[in-house]
Amino acid sequence: MSPVFPMLTVLSMFYYMCLRRRARTATRGEMNSRRAIESNTRALPINVEIVQYAKEVLDFSSHYGSENSMSYTMWNLAGIPNVYPSSGDFTQTAVFRTYGTWWDRCPSARLPFKRTPSTFCSQDYVELAFEEPVYPTAVHILETYHPGAVVRILACSANPYSQNPPAEVRWEILWSEAPTKVNGPQARQFTPCIKQINFPTNLIRLEVNSSLLDYYTELDAVVLHGVKERPVLSLKTSMIDMNDIDEDEDEEKFACGMDTLNKQFSIVTLREWPTNGYFDKLPYELIQLILSHLTVPDLCRLAQTCKLLYQHCCDPLQYIHLSLQPYWARINDTSLEYLQSRCTLIQWLNLSWTGNRGAISVSGFSRFLKVCGSELVRLELSCGHFLNETCLEVITEMCPNLQELNLSSCDKIPPQAFNHIAKVGSLKRLILYRTKVEQTALLSILNFCSELQHLSLGSCVMIEDYDLIASMMGAKCKKLRSLDLWRCKNITESGIAELASGCQLLEELDLGWCPTLQSSTGCFTNLARKLPNLQKLFLTANRSVCDTDIEELAANCTHLRQLDILGTRMVSPASLRKLLESCKDLSLLDVSFCSQIDNRVVLELNANFPNVFIKKSFTQ
């Protein structure tokens, strides 16, 4: 046979691979440029595009608003736009709890986990359900104030309205990008170019990172475009891009880094190599140091190369600090089972966002902690909706050295379950933001956990008497350094007085949206005089804050770094100047909606105090 024919065969296979790759990775623009899908010979029937707004908000990690209202809550993302195309600060939008880097620069800031992949930068999320499952062709996000926070959009294979849950829940990334700085706070419609997926969806998840923003991002609505039938791409192509050729047919299966995690954990058959190269000559400790820079999926892959590296990659010393949050979509009972032998010395564990929709069971979580909980010092379980009373009981029994526990937005835990936390007397940090903790359980926790230094009770709506809680803190928690009472509805000057007298080490205090506190009672001046170490004080939306309070802060709290007095009508430019002159470390001053502080005053203060970020919000 002529040698030409094998060459033609290779070329034809090469051409076929190019076409197949193009079909798999075509952009949304290529898909939507025609309503009818074309072939080489004929046009197929039109696949009608469905346009729908979110029907329901299913889950979210945080929001600025209250649990008992609609203002600034994630629930505003359901339905048609309320504000768009207007720009500005509107209560009818969805707003997350934080923005910028301010929360990373206060006494309550937590140390980051090492080995977090650079591609994972999400800080918050919201999950939205739509009426009809479709193959997505576009996602429009209507941002009305300080846009640019969305960093990832995902689609889920599970239908939240189906009576028959699927055996396997898949999440696919439609679009992702690193945080970017957007010039200006004006409204926009954000329509990133999404990738095609091979299943219909009516569950979309947005993940955000607000670290580059100058203020809270505000979202108004999300629009999902899609078709009922899976699109078929045209075989016509005008150009072949060499970058479209894969060396490995299954490359896309590894796109998220954890698709084969469970298989990698269980690999026991290793390739037989005559030597381990130069690694045999390196000290054990040096190899361990080198491997400490790898992510968890990379460790699992490296373990398959040779017996020496398998030994190093499975060494429990590599798993002293372990964050599984970046891989939340693929962590399940099997993952935890395979990790058990590697995590016997684990001290920091982050399971935030993991385990939902049945991925982690109570028994799977309990088995893991019974093997790996004895050395745990820090446990992050934010938005862990699989948690119940049994889980909290196991935590308190199996983790005797626990010092930090994060249950933020674990709103499925029943109220009585929190009583178990009182058994962990070594706790130094406890985050109960948006949980159903009740007064009796909290009083027991405060009574037995006297080592507490950081406590978050933001948006805990089941507590009936915050004055009683504050009195117990003042009596028992003398080491308290940070306290979050965001949107606590019933604390009064009496509770503040008890708190200030007993917890004089406080450096951070959030009393934002606490409507029962009135400056006329002297509660804020009392705080300023009793708490000279204050670095962060949020008095957000307290209309009664006045010049006297600001002047007392200037005189007594000279270490102040962050102050939020949004919404007050009683503070003048003169008192702010005194504060800025006295508090040399001040870096954040929020005077949004302060009626006496107009834009001219803000410009003047910015010119005289350039190291302070002075925020003045607006509404159009």
Side-chain angles (χ1 to χ4, degrees):
M1 180 183 290
S2 169
V4 174
F5 291 103
M7 181 60 69
L8 289 176
T9 303
V10 171
L11 288 174
S12 59
M13 290 179 63
F14 175 80
Y15 186 66
Y16 168 75
M17 290 170 60
C18 293
L19 292 177
R20 192 167 185 271
R21 176 63 176 169
R22 177 58 59 98
R24 287 162 56 198
T25 61
T27 64
R28 184 185 59 83
E30 292 171 320
M31 283 296 300
N32 291 341
S33 60
R34 17 168 134 59
R35 293 297 184 186
I37 301 173
E38 298 179 349
S39 71
N40 281 329
T41 58
R42 61 190 177 86
L44 299 176
I46 294 177
N47 198 354
V48 178
E49 188 174 56
I50 297 173
V51 179
Q52 49 187 331
Y53 291 96
K55 178 181 179 181
E56 184 181 358
V57 176
L58 297 180
D59 189 23
F60 54 91
S61 55
S62 77
H63 60 183
Y64 186 89
S66 166
E67 302 302 296
N68 299 321
S69 77
M70 290 296 291
S71 297
Y72 296 123
T73 64
M74 287 297 119
W75 299 305
N76 285 319
L77 278 175
I80 62 174
N82 299 308
V83 173
Y84 187 85
S86 298
S87 297
D89 191 335
F90 292 91
T91 61
Q92 302 96 323
T93 57
V95 184
F96 291 98
R97 175 77 193 274
T98 65
Y99 74 94
T101 59
W102 311 111
W103 276 259
D104 296 325
R105 291 187 271 163
C106 56
S108 63
R110 287 164 285 170
L111 293 174
F113 276 78
K114 298 178 181 178
R115 280 192 166 137
T116 300
S118 58
T119 54
F120 181 80
C121 56
S122 304
Q123 297 174 331
D124 277 295
Y125 73 85
V126 58
E127 293 181 2
L128 306 168
F130 294 79
E131 183 70 36
E132 295 287 338
V134 295
Y135 292 92
T137 56
V139 176
H140 301 315
I141 303 171
L142 307 184
E143 303 172 279
T144 55
Y145 199 38
H146 288 278
V150 178
V151 293
R152 199 154 73 153
I153 304 173
L154 301 98
C156 185
S157 62
N159 183 342
Y161 301 121
S162 172
Q163 299 299 318
N164 302 310
E168 179 186 8
V169 177
R170 292 175 53 199
W171 285 92
E172 287 287 341
I173 299 175
L174 300 179
W175 170 89
S176 66
E177 193 173 279
T180 55
K181 180 77 171 179
V182 176
N183 294 325
Q186 289 74 27
R188 72 170 185 178
Q189 176 179 290
F190 179 51
T191 308
C193 186
I194 64 173
K195 86 168 188 179
Q196 183 183 348
I197 57 175
N198 60 6
F199 58 82
T201 184
N202 62 339
L203 175 51
I204 297 293
R205 175 178 171 123
L206 308 182
E207 294 185 356
V208 304
N209 181 312
S210 303
S211 61
L212 298 182
L213 301 187
D214 291 333
Y215 205 58
Y216 300 95
T217 191
E218 300 192 7
L219 310 178
D220 193 13
V222 176
V223 192
L224 174 62
H225 291 237
V227 292
K228 295 292 289 184
E229 300 296 329
R230 184 178 178 183
V232 179
L233 293 181
S234 170
L235 290 179
K236 291 182 178 179
T237 179
S238 58
M239 182 176 65
I240 297 173
D241 187 347
M242 294 299 292
N243 292 325
D244 283 346
I245 306 301
D246 282 340
E247 294 180 357
D248 185 352
E249 181 96 359
D250 295 323
E251 178 192 7
E252 288 184 330
K253 294 181 181 179
F254 294 90
C256 295
M258 292 294 283
D259 285 346
T260 59
L261 178 62
N262 296 334
K263 293 180 182 178
Q264 292 166 358
F265 281 145
S266 61
I267 289 292
V268 294
T269 303
L270 304 174
R271 300 179 185 178
E272 293 293 337
W273 298 99
T275 70
N276 292 312
Y278 290 105
F279 280 100
D280 279 330
K281 303 181 184 301
L282 294 178
Y284 193 94
E285 294 79 7
L286 181 56
I287 298 177
Q288 286 286 293
L289 178 61
I290 294 171
L291 299 191
S292 69
H293 296 281
L294 296 180
T295 63
V296 176
D298 289 338
L299 272 181
C300 295
R301 295 187 187 105
L302 188 62
Q304 302 173 51
T305 57
C306 68
K307 290 183 177 179
L308 174 66
L309 291 179
Y310 176 85
Q311 179 185 359
H312 281 281
C313 292
C314 295
D315 192 321
L317 291 175
Q318 287 291 335
Y319 301 86
I320 298 294
H321 294 179
L322 177 63
S323 176
L324 296 177
Q325 183 180 5
Y327 320 109
W328 60 266
R330 290 168 174 80
I331 297 300
N332 54 30
D333 282 349
T334 307
S335 310
L336 296 182
E337 181 180 349
Y338 286 134
L339 278 168
Q340 282 184 17
S341 61
R342 307 182 184 203
C343 294
T344 53
L345 300 178
I346 191 170
Q347 296 178 7
W348 287 16
L349 175 62
N350 185 0
L351 286 174
S352 293
W353 301 6
T354 66
N356 298 334
R357 295 184 173 84
I360 294 179
S361 65
V362 172
S363 58
F365 176 77
S366 301
R367 284 195 302 270
F368 182 81
L369 278 195
K370 286 175 182 177
V371 175
C372 308
S374 62
E375 302 296 324
L376 264 183
V377 174
R378 176 179 176 183
L379 182 57
E380 304 280 340
L381 295 169
S382 174
C383 305
H385 300 314
F386 66 91
L387 296 170
N388 62 9
E389 183 170 3
T390 300
C391 294
L392 289 195
E393 186 174 6
V394 170
I395 290 171
T396 58
E397 291 178 357
M398 298 295 130
C399 307
N401 299 307
L402 197 62
Q403 296 180 11
E404 300 187 23
L405 179 61
N406 180 4
L407 299 175
S408 172
S409 291
C410 293
D411 53 359
K412 303 294 191 296
I413 300 176
Q416 70 275 7
F418 293 93
N419 284 294
H420 294 286
I421 299 177
K423 303 171 188 175
V424 189
S426 57
L427 273 182
K428 294 182 178 180
R429 183 189 303 269
L430 179 60
I431 302 176
L432 298 177
Y433 168 72
R434 288 192 66 237
T435 63
K436 295 177 180 176
V437 62
E438 288 183 332
Q439 186 164 300
T440 302
L442 185 54
L443 288 172
S444 179
I445 293 170
L446 296 174
N447 186 44
F448 290 103
C449 300
S450 57
E451 298 296 313
L452 275 173
Q453 296 180 18
H454 306 280
L455 178 62
S456 173
L457 300 175
S459 293
C460 291
V461 297
M462 306 285 283
I463 297 172
E464 301 170 353
D465 187 352
Y466 269 99
D467 280 346
L468 183 58
I469 298 298
S471 177
M472 179 65 80
M473 290 181 203
K476 297 290 185 176
C477 303
K478 302 292 186 180
K479 298 179 181 180
L480 208 60
R481 292 180 53 214
S482 73
L483 177 61
D484 179 9
L485 295 177
W486 174 263
R487 292 189 180 276
C488 108
K489 294 296 183 183
N490 52 38
I491 192 167
T492 69
E493 65 277 5
S494 175
I496 293 296
E498 296 275 2
L499 182 68
S501 296
C503 303
Q504 296 190 3
L505 298 180
L506 271 174
E507 299 172 354
E508 177 180 341
L509 182 58
D510 193 334
L511 296 171
W513 296 89
C514 295
T516 50
L517 292 176
Q518 294 296 315
S519 174
S520 58
T521 64
C523 58
F524 300 136
T525 57
N526 188 32
L527 276 179
R529 292 169 183 170
K530 294 286 183 63
L531 304 177
N533 298 314
L534 273 181
Q535 297 180 29
K536 173 182 174 180
L537 179 62
F538 275 27
L539 302 175
T540 316
N542 193 300
R543 308 287 191 256
S544 69
V545 176
C546 63
D547 282 346
T548 303
D549 302 319
I550 301 301
E551 290 168 3
E552 288 289 346
L553 288 172
N556 298 288
C557 301
T558 55
H559 300 295
L560 200 62
R561 296 175 181 269
Q562 300 178 30
L563 178 64
D564 186 343
I565 53 171
L566 175 149
T568 180
R569 305 183 181 93
M570 312 292 289
V571 172
S572 67
S575 64
L576 288 184
R577 290 189 191 96
K578 291 181 182 179
L579 179 76
L580 291 166
E581 290 168 355
S582 176
C583 300
K584 303 297 184 182
D585 296 328
L586 196 67
S587 57
L588 171 65
L589 177 60
D590 194 335
V591 292
S592 300
F593 303 108
C594 293
S595 55
Q596 294 190 44
I597 313 299
D598 57 25
N599 288 333
R600 179 187 58 80
V601 173
V602 171
L603 289 174
E604 176 196 333
L605 294 176
N606 274 326
N608 293 328
F609 303 95
N611 294 328
V612 184
F613 178 75
I614 302 175
K615 180 58 188 174
K616 177 70 174 177
S617 186
F618 73 97
T619 300
Q620 289 183 349

